[in-house]
Amino acid sequence: MSQMIRRAPSQAWLSDHWKTEMARIDECVDCGLCKTRCPYELDIPNLLRKNLADYNDILAGRVKV
Ligand code: SF4
């Protein structure tokens, strides 16, 4: 999301649909299953949380895109 919202017209990513989808990141229980399946060995739970924090900063006007 942090990249998409900066590389494409941002308004589409600020819809109620995407707000709801992004809020689901708070449901992550850190089980680590996604990390075992990622072919790039990404730290997905932390990446998701970083993206959510950035998204919330954008929504709150603390960060401009
Ligand atoms: S995002 Fe990854 S670590 Fe978080 S609940 Fe889903 S599978 Fe588990």
Side-chain angles (χ1 to χ4, degrees):
M1 179 59 80
S2 291
Q3 294 183 12
M4 289 188 299
I5 207 166
R6 286 169 173 83
R7 293 178 183 175
S10 60
Q11 209 55 40
W13 304 107
L14 300 172
S15 65
D16 287 344
H17 168 77
W18 283 107
K19 289 176 189 172
T20 300
E21 289 296 303
M22 290 299 288
R24 294 177 62 198
I25 293 172
D26 278 331
E27 298 172 16
C28 172
V29 294
D30 256 326
C31 70
L33 184 60
C34 54
K35 289 166 66 173
T36 69
R37 296 182 177 180
C38 178
Y40 302 105
E41 300 182 357
L42 296 176
D43 186 358
I44 295 169
N46 280 321
L47 286 171
L48 288 172
R49 284 189 281 268
K50 280 178 63 177
N51 273 260
L52 179 59
D54 180 53
Y55 188 74
N56 285 337
D57 281 344
I58 293 166
L59 287 178
R62 292 186 290 271
V63 171
K64 298 282 181 219
V65 292

